[in-house]
Amino acid sequence: MIFFDGGMGTMLQRYGLSTGDCPDYYNITHPDIVQRIYKEYADAGSNYITTNTFGTSPIKLADYDLADKVEAICEAAVRNVRTACGNRVKIAGDMGPTGKFLSPLGDLSFDETCENYYRLAKALANAGADSLIIETIIDIQEMKAALIAAKTACDLPVICQMTYAEDGRTITGTDPKAAVILLDAMGADVIGANCSVGPEKLLEAAKQMVPYTNKPIIIQPNAGMPVLENGETHFPLTPKDFGSWAPEFAKAGVSFLGGCCGTTPDHIREEVLALSDVTISPKEKIPPFTALTSRTQTVFIGDDYAPVKIGERINPTGRKKMREDLKAGSFTSVKKEALAEVDAGADILDVNMGVPGVDQVALMETAISQLSMLCPVPFSIDSTDPKVLEKALKLYPGRPLINSANAENEERLDAMLHLAKTYGAALLLLPIEKGNLPETAEERVRIIRYLEEKALAAGLRKEDLLLDPLVLTVGSGDRGASETLRTIKLYKKEFGFPCVMGTSNVSFGLPCRPRINAAFLTMALACGMNAPIVNPLDQGVKDAFTNAKLLLGFDKGALHFIQEAQDAPAAAATALPVQDLPPLAQVKAAVKQGEKEEAASAVKRAIEAGLSSEEIIQSGLTATMTEIGDGYGAGKVFLPQVMMSAEAMQSAFKVIKEMLPEAATAAKGTLILGTVQGDIHDLGKNIVSALLENSGYRVIDLGKDVAPEAFLSAIEEHHADLVGLCSLMTTTLPELEKTVSLVKEKCPAVSILTGGAVVTKDYAASIGADAYCKDGIAAIKEADRMMEK
């Protein structure tokens, strides 16, 4: 076992760090304190010391007007480790979160994020760090950007640690399995988790990661969740309690162990002691597998797994309405098709924005931004243009499939291989070469062999590659279909890689296409096809998949087959297009699916049908958001979907205000919101602000580091009904209490909502707050409850 250190912030506070001070700047202003902490951790048994640079990126240092000090702080931080510990430890250059969300969840672009982390990574490498550690990241998109920046800046090993909440997912919905699969594919050297929760929860996270990577796993838990006792916050796990978890982590296959918030050198010492007499078995090697991920889901593809459906309908080729919509800048039809495909059982969505005469980079940017928020399944990005692909790969929050690369153009092929490697995407290889559309299976194998060699030379792994057998229409030759089936069999013999094919190509130019497609699909699945690209709405395709899963042994006890047979008559009888639903049901469906444009149109139709604003708001909008909130609380709906639904609800409110101004001009209430004095974190507060505003409240957002008197002044100026107070740091809890006390004294009629990472329900009650809100959905519910009173 290799040991890292523990909480730097915890120790700095112990040695005098004041609320509002920049911890990173202590490397320069108080090197003696920083060196003392480093030495204490090394003496406790830490093999790696993490530099005191958690917030040293330009974006974070800007909060202290220190953005020009990145290099100076990094140099001082590394120098302090060497001064305190000599060469007995390795140095991990720390790279913490920006505190902002990337687009489309937030305003920070992928490129801006890369630039931010590149500067920090370069500075740490130049200062002499032995490795880089990207830690406490809550969104997989930010981790992608940070990892790419780190690998671009230097050749040092990179450690990646996500942060998971009580439900075992990041705040944006990614679980440890999906994260480790993507980060491994992108080339992270060590992968793991830190902060947020105590050892028990992170042990579960470790167990989810270990089976899906051969990379070492690192875990650095908090010393439990902070609690309030006698007016002070502390972390509940004693060093001995904390250390007692070390053998469990070793048994689970963890290779690197340390601590995070609330841990001290004594906690690390107990970890070391707990493993001093423990024999650690070497981790078993994981056999290769192929998987795609979205922000929230993982789909495995291969002969050991049931075949999966790739939906083909997000493609303007041959589809006049979709093509016209995209040319006009409307993505309504694209979103409807995507949701319909997911509802019909598509495991993966193929996204193609090939509209002639239109900026396809811009089209793909919008499509990926909106669909990745709306649809939970992984994507296949369908383009051979490297510029279109790179834009999509930057925005996509997971590990997609690139569809597809061929040997027609060497420069383009090299670019696509580089993109797949950089962004951790899987790559579909298509057996076409310049001037040759191969007709025989042997020719196709020859071309694939060449493409495989190129891919492996570019750094891709075998598990990154999937093969297309090249489906040619039977209308142009008698042997087209049979040769494709023979190609699938030969691929399996020669390569063993998963196979993907555009099924409907076989029937092009013929009548009764669905019948031909379903028959061909059945034959292909029997030959070893793993992931056909199909129309999942076609009943023949659905039946072929259901039958194949049963007959190929992937439907134990025929449970899925029986369920499908029982559900089919009822589904056929009740299935209605959204536009044929009653007006209020249309409103609810649009909000639930996060369709802003459709929500506005549905509300307009509901008003024209004679529904009152009260009925639309209460029975339509509010009821739907309540349902979404319940799903969020149950872990069935995730933050991106919540944000999309909230935006759809806001667009619905705008229509009500325009068409029924006398009934809808008043907001639910006015709420003052801010992060308390001394706390410069505002990510969670920004989410709460957006959700409350989109649900009908007038929100006055005061930002971060807000003095009690500023809250009071805003309450009086805006005649507020509610005030929301956020605290993310244990050191600012006294400021939270002070603010609550002042508001209660001066404005007793105003209800107070509190929340934040370190706030608990008991603590909120103990300081006199009216409500504790664990997240933005809870804030809406509590605000609504208070306004009803």
Side-chain angles (χ1 to χ4, degrees), residues 512-524:
C512 302
R513 293 190 67 188
R515 191 175 79 186
I516 298 173
N517 295 342
F520 182 57
L521 173 60
T522 300
M523 299 170 75

Side-chain angles (χ1 to χ4, degrees), residues 201-386:
K201 291 292 185 180
L202 287 195
L203 178 60
E204 291 305 312
K207 289 178 178 179
Q208 288 186 50
M209 288 185 272
V210 168
Y212 298 104
T213 182
N214 287 308
K215 300 292 179 62
I217 298 296
I218 180 171
I219 299 290
Q220 293 186 270
N222 288 346
M225 294 296 287
V227 295
L228 180 75
E229 288 184 2
N230 301 320
E232 294 185 0
T233 57
H234 73 92
F235 289 82
L237 290 185
T238 66
K240 194 136 190 97
D241 291 338
F242 186 80
S244 68
W245 286 92
E248 294 300 317
F249 283 110
K251 190 188 305 180
V254 172
S255 303
F256 294 76
L257 202 56
C260 202
C261 300
T263 61
T264 67
D266 288 336
H267 289 78
I268 303 304
R269 184 175 289 106
E270 289 296 335
E271 281 187 326
V272 176
L273 288 173
L275 289 174
S276 58
D277 296 325
V278 175
T279 301
I280 301 175
S281 302
K283 185 173 175 283
E284 292 186 13
K285 190 170 181 62
I286 307 302
F289 63 89
T290 299
L292 305 182
T293 69
S294 66
R295 194 191 297 274
T296 60
Q297 290 187 11
T298 301
V299 172
F300 294 92
I301 306 173
D303 294 341
D304 293 332
Y305 309 97
V308 299
K309 286 181 281 216
I310 303 179
E312 68 179 6
R313 294 178 62 82
I314 308 173
N315 188 332
T317 303
R319 307 191 67 187
K320 184 178 179 182
K321 176 67 168 62
M322 182 180 288
R323 190 166 60 249
E324 290 176 348
D325 283 353
L326 290 172
K327 285 183 176 181
S330 171
F331 286 79
T332 300
S333 59
V334 167
K335 289 188 283 187
K336 284 183 177 179
E337 289 288 6
L339 290 167
E341 288 191 289
V342 172
D343 190 55
D347 302 286
I348 300 163
L349 296 182
D350 190 72
V351 182
N352 183 307
M353 290 289 110
V355 181
V358 180
D359 184 351
Q360 292 183 25
V361 173
L363 286 182
M364 186 64 83
E365 178 178 13
T366 304
I368 296 297
S369 295
Q370 297 197 20
L371 293 179
S372 65
M373 295 270 281
L374 198 58
C375 301
V377 301
F379 289 179
S380 164
I381 301 170
D382 192 350
S383 177
T384 56
D385 185 335

Side-chain angles (χ1 to χ4, degrees), residues 33 37 76-77 234 262 315 345 355 362 366 385 388 405 415 430 491 521 533 541 544 586 630 645-646 653 704 748 752:
I33 292 176
I37 295 169
H234 73 92
N315 188 332
V355 181
T366 304
D385 185 335
V388 174
L430 180 67
Y491 277 174
L521 173 60
I533 303 173
V541 167
Q586 293 184 39
D630 292 341
S645 291
F653 268 119
K704 53 197 175 185
I752 304 172

Side-chain angles (χ1 to χ4, degrees), residues 705-716:
D705 193 18
V706 182
E709 295 76 17
F711 279 108
L712 191 63
S713 176
I715 290 168
E716 294 171 345

Side-chain angles (χ1 to χ4, degrees), residues 146-157:
L147 178 53
I148 288 171
K151 291 187 129 337
T152 304
C154 63
D155 295 325
L156 296 180

